[in-house]
Amino acid sequence: DAMVIQNPRYQVTQFGKPVTLSCSQTLNHNVMYWYQQKSSQAPKLLFHYYDKDFNNEADTPDNFQSRRPNTSFCFLDIRSPGLGDAAMYLCATSPPEGNEQFFGPGTRLTVL
Amino acid sequence: AQKVTQAQTEISVVEKEDVTLDCVYETRDTTYYLFWYKQPPSGELVFLIRRNSFDEQNEISGRYSWNFQKSTSSFNFTITASQVVDSAVYFCALSEEDTDKLIFGTGTRLQVFP
C-alpha cells in the first residue's frame, strides 16, 4: 500500500544531543511537510518542500533543519534539542495546491 | 487573513447519540479548500474529506456528513449514531489557492462513552 512512513515511532534523546527523524513516502507526491504537534494543540508547520524547493516558516527556530535528498525521503534534524522540543513530529505529503495531505504515524520525541 | 475556528474544545456524548462539530473559517480568497481530519489516540492524522469553495453540496459518507455553507463561512461535521471508535480529536483545516499549506483549527476532542 502506498503510504507515508516515519522512523522511529518513538525517539528519546538527551538535552543538546542532535537527533534526526526520517520520513519516506511511496505516493510520489511533490510536496513534503514537517509539523510539530504538542499536547492538546494543532499541528504547527515547521517547513515544507515543493520538490527540492525548501520553504521555511518564519517562526521555525534555527535549531530545526531539514533535508530532502530525493522525492521519497525527507529528514528533520534537531541540532540541539531542548526540553521544549519534546513533541510529536508529523510528516505529511501531498500533490500540489489545495489537495489533501497524507500524514505519517508520527515520531514522538522525548528529551531528557 | 486566514483563520479556522473550532469553538468546541471538547464534546462528550453517549454512544448512538448524534454529534455535530462546528468549524468556521475566514479567508479573502474566492478559491479555497476545506478539510476535516481525525486524530485518534494513536496520533496519526487521518484525512476524512476535502471540499472546494465552489462545491457547496453537502456530503454523506456512512455515518458521517458535512454541511458546507459559504453564507456563514461554516463547514460543520456531523456523526450520526456515534460509536466509541469515533473518540478522537477532529481538526478542521483551510487551504487557499496557490498555496500548499493547511491552516488548522485548534481541534475538538470528542469522547464517546459506551
Side-chain angles (χ1 to χ4, degrees):
Chain A
D1 282 344
M3 55 176 56
V4 182
I5 302 160
Q6 289 188 247
N7 285 306
R9 294 291 309 276
Y10 300 90
Q11 175 74 56
V12 180
T13 190
Q14 291 180 331
F15 183 95
K17 186 175 179 182
V19 66
T20 295
L21 309 183
S22 74
C23 177
S24 64
Q25 57 139 336
T26 60
L27 297 160
N28 207 35
H29 286 161
N30 299 86
V31 195
M32 291 188 79
Y33 308 79
W34 278 106
Y35 289 88
Q36 179 193 64
Q37 187 179 26
K38 296 190 176 180
S39 183
S40 302
Q41 295 183 19
K44 177 181 180 296
L45 183 63
L46 296 173
F47 21 62
H48 73 284
Y49 282 91
Y50 190 127
D51 293 324
K52 287 261 186 185
D53 291 337
F54 177 70
N55 299 272
N56 198 31
E57 293 302 296
D59 57 354
T60 298
D62 292 339
N63 199 24
F64 291 85
Q65 306 280 316
S66 184
R67 298 169 281 136
R68 189 179 185 186
N70 54 52
T71 301
S72 301
F73 285 87
C74 196
F75 300 96
L76 170 62
D77 301 307
I78 309 177
R79 292 193 296 188
S80 181
L83 298 179
D85 297 327
M88 174 77 91
Y89 290 87
L90 295 163
C91 174
T93 75
S94 77
E97 291 187 24
N99 286 286
E100 59 269 28
Q101 294 182 17
F102 295 86
F103 285 81
T107 295
R108 186 169 296 282
L109 178 68
T110 300
V111 182
L112 302 177
Chain B
Q2 343 66 320
K3 188 178 176 183
V4 177
T5 302
Q6 293 180 256
Q8 303 150 309
T9 307
E10 188 161 339
I11 301 174
S12 295
V13 299
V14 177
E15 228 176 359
K16 297 184 184 174
E17 281 186 35
D18 299 347
V19 59
T20 295
L21 310 181
D22 297 333
C23 174
V24 174
Y25 62 93
E26 293 175 34
T27 177
R28 289 185 192 146
D29 278 15
T30 54
T31 302
Y32 53 89
Y33 306 89
L34 296 164
F35 305 82
W36 276 95
Y37 283 86
K38 173 182 180 179
Q39 189 173 39
S42 59
E44 183 171 351
L45 275 157
V46 178
F47 165 75
L48 296 178
I49 189 170
R50 169 183 179 265
R51 257 287 177 266
N52 75 55
S53 51
F54 298 108
D55 183 2
E56 280 194 80
Q57 254 191 334
N58 291 332
E59 179 152 341
I60 298 174
S61 176
R63 295 183 298 107
Y64 295 172
S65 62
W66 290 270
N67 185 333
F68 177 27
Q69 293 197 339
K70 285 176 79 168
S71 60
T72 56
S73 297
S74 66
F75 186 43
N76 296 338
F77 173 32
T78 297
I79 303 175
T80 302
S82 59
Q83 299 177 1
V84 173
V85 293
D86 296 327
S87 297
V89 179
Y90 290 86
F91 289 98
C92 180
L94 164 73
S95 177
E96 293 179 326
E97 190 179 23
D98 298 330
T99 179
D100 301 311
K101 299 199 285 189
L102 283 176
I103 298 147
F104 283 94
T106 49
T108 297
R109 180 177 299 277
L110 173 66
Q111 294 197 69
V112 182
F113 293 99

